[in-house]
Amino acid sequence: MNFTTVVSISKTEFPIDYQSKIVSFGSCFAENMATKFDYYKFQNSCNPFGILFHPVAIEKCITRAINLELFNENELFFNNESWHNFDIHSDLSNPDKESLLIEINDLLVATNKQISEASHIIITYGTSWVYRNKQTNKLVANCHKVPQNQFDKELLSVSDIEKSIQNTIKLIEKINPNCNLIFTISPVRHLKDGFVENQRSKANLISALHSIFDIQHSKNRYFPSYEIMMDELRDYRFYSQDLLHLNQVAINYIWERFVENYVSDEAISSMNEIESIQRDLSHRPFNPSSESYKKFQIQLDSKINNAKSKFPFMNF
């Protein structure tokens, strides 16, 4: 007897391995997946400008990085004792204007290099709802707790999202035509917009992405993380306490579905070795001076050295 319906996923022809260089952009779910890549010691970077929720915000970030459009002080504003920029997350805000400018421009240059060298770029879209600054008439990535009356709330149309995704693909292909793009829709619920509004938002993202894939039969792929959550994990026990974000069980499950279809068999074997090291590193002995623990440490050092001999970029 089956108690769940399993989402069908086709294996990619361009799997991720330990030589791959992965760059991720997008919502908090992108960070969940990046944490997994970090745990298994892949060459991975995620959200250099912080969490970005909607397609236009991600497009603008990638555009600036690829074209090396450096930030200038006229694009910064002061609010709640810190300097901000509407295109980046509040995590990067800084009480010192010059420090902020130096940091985000250094990130811009680093991101340009990461995109140009990436073998795989993973983009996670979270919402179609956006906020437009009334003064500049521009969509923002983050409102930085500026009063809401300074923004108009809008829902990106399927057409708007299609254009943004197409622009993003063209920009990346401009400097890295061999890169593999993986798109997904965040399964995190944005219920502050409303139940119906959340569904409309996700529907527009899904419609736009699949419309592009129907036209462009390329190596770009869609990973159904949203569909896995909605169909395979249809239960509140897979959400965290706020009933919006995924709990660790759900994250682990979706990660497993990703790995079995997007990671090479050879890399999966190496992942098992890395997991063994990570478990050993988290071990806390009852008696650190015991002979058994000393032997344990020697074996652990041997495992780490063996991993580093195969993958010199790894740090434990």
Side-chain angles (χ1 to χ4, degrees):
M1 183 179 293
N2 293 325
F3 291 98
T4 185
T5 51
V6 178
V7 177
S8 176
I9 307 174
S10 300
K11 276 184 172 287
T12 180
E13 297 175 5
F14 308 96
I16 292 168
D17 58 31
Y18 273 99
Q19 303 309 317
S20 300
K21 293 186 177 180
I22 307 154
V23 183
S24 302
F25 297 94
S27 74
C28 48
F29 182 72
E31 307 251 321
N32 295 150
M33 294 293 101
T35 298
K36 287 292 191 179
F37 279 120
D38 290 340
Y39 178 83
Y40 287 101
K41 299 299 177 182
F42 284 92
Q43 299 180 80
N44 170 61
S45 65
C46 180
N47 281 341
F49 297 103
I51 293 171
L52 302 170
F53 293 101
H54 63 80
V56 176
I58 295 171
E59 177 197 349
K60 288 170 73 174
C61 167
I62 292 174
T63 299
R64 291 197 80 130
I66 288 175
N67 296 332
L68 286 176
E69 299 172 8
L70 297 180
F71 293 92
N72 62 70
E73 63 179 19
N74 295 328
E75 296 176 276
L76 307 182
F77 68 95
F78 194 75
N79 185 58
N80 290 332
E81 301 183 15
S82 286
W83 289 91
H84 315 272
N85 178 278
F86 279 126
D87 290 336
I88 63 178
H89 195 272
S90 297
D91 286 348
L92 292 166
S93 297
N94 196 307
D96 183 78
K97 182 198 288 187
E98 293 305 316
S99 296
L100 173 60
L101 207 54
I102 291 169
E103 180 182 9
I104 59 180
N105 280 330
D106 285 348
L107 283 171
L108 196 71
V109 174
T111 304
N112 176 282
K113 185 174 187 293
Q114 289 168 347
I115 293 174
S116 64
E117 295 178 352
S119 62
H120 296 78
I121 292 179
I122 304 173
I123 297 177
T124 303
Y125 295 129
T127 183
S128 302
W129 288 104
V130 297
Y131 289 87
R132 186 181 298 277
N133 184 280
K134 291 180 179 179
Q135 183 178 354
T136 63
N137 198 36
K138 292 181 179 179
L139 299 181
V140 302
N142 196 296
C143 295
H144 301 293
K145 297 184 179 179
V146 171
Q148 194 166 357
N149 61 13
Q150 296 187 29
F151 302 93
D152 288 321
K153 185 177 180 180
E154 304 174 9
L155 182 67
L156 291 174
S157 68
V158 174
S159 176
D160 290 334
I161 298 169
E162 284 179 16
K163 290 175 184 176
S164 181
I165 297 171
Q166 287 171 334
N167 289 342
T168 300
I169 293 172
K170 288 177 183 176
L171 282 161
I172 294 171
E173 290 179 342
K174 175 182 171 182
I175 65 167
N176 190 349
N178 296 319
C179 183
N180 300 281
L181 300 182
I182 301 171
F183 293 90
T184 190
I185 306 298
S186 170
V188 176
R189 307 161 80 206
H190 289 253
L191 293 189
K192 67 177 182 179
D193 297 316
F195 284 88
V196 174
E197 289 78 4
N198 175 65
Q199 291 299 89
R200 291 175 64 195
S201 168
K202 300 291 188 183
N204 281 11
L205 293 172
I206 293 168
S207 296
L209 266 174
H210 286 285
S211 177
I212 290 171
F213 289 156
D214 287 344
I215 297 171
Q216 300 177 359
H217 298 286
S218 64
K219 58 186 177 182
N220 300 332
R221 300 297 298 272
Y222 177 76
F223 174 65
S225 56
Y226 175 79
E227 290 79 1
I228 291 171
M229 191 67 191
M230 293 299 105
D231 285 281
E232 291 191 44
L233 307 178
R234 301 176 63 95
D235 196 303
Y236 280 107
R237 64 190 163 131
F238 296 114
Y239 286 95
S240 60
Q241 193 170 3
D242 64 6
L243 300 182
L244 303 176
H245 294 82
L246 281 60
N247 64 20
Q248 198 58 51
V249 174
I251 292 169
N252 291 345
Y253 182 82
I254 295 175
W255 167 255
E256 289 172 6
R257 296 300 316 276
F258 180 88
V259 167
E260 67 188 23
N261 292 286
Y262 285 84
V263 177
S264 71
D265 292 340
E266 183 179 8
I268 291 174
S269 177
S270 297
M271 286 172 64
N272 293 331
E273 296 175 21
I274 302 305
E275 186 169 28
S276 174
I277 293 172
Q278 295 283 41
R279 283 199 304 264
D280 287 352
L281 286 169
S282 65
H283 175 68
R284 295 293 176 265
F286 289 111
N287 183 3
S289 60
S290 67
E291 286 301 316
S292 62
Y293 185 67
K294 290 177 182 177
K295 290 180 181 178
F296 172 84
Q297 280 293 107
I298 292 171
Q299 292 173 345
L300 175 56
D301 289 342
S302 176
K303 288 181 184 179
I304 291 174
N305 290 332
N306 182 53
K308 285 185 173 182
S309 68
K310 291 189 289 186
F311 310 113
F313 57 84
M314 288 187 180
N315 288 307
F316 292 92

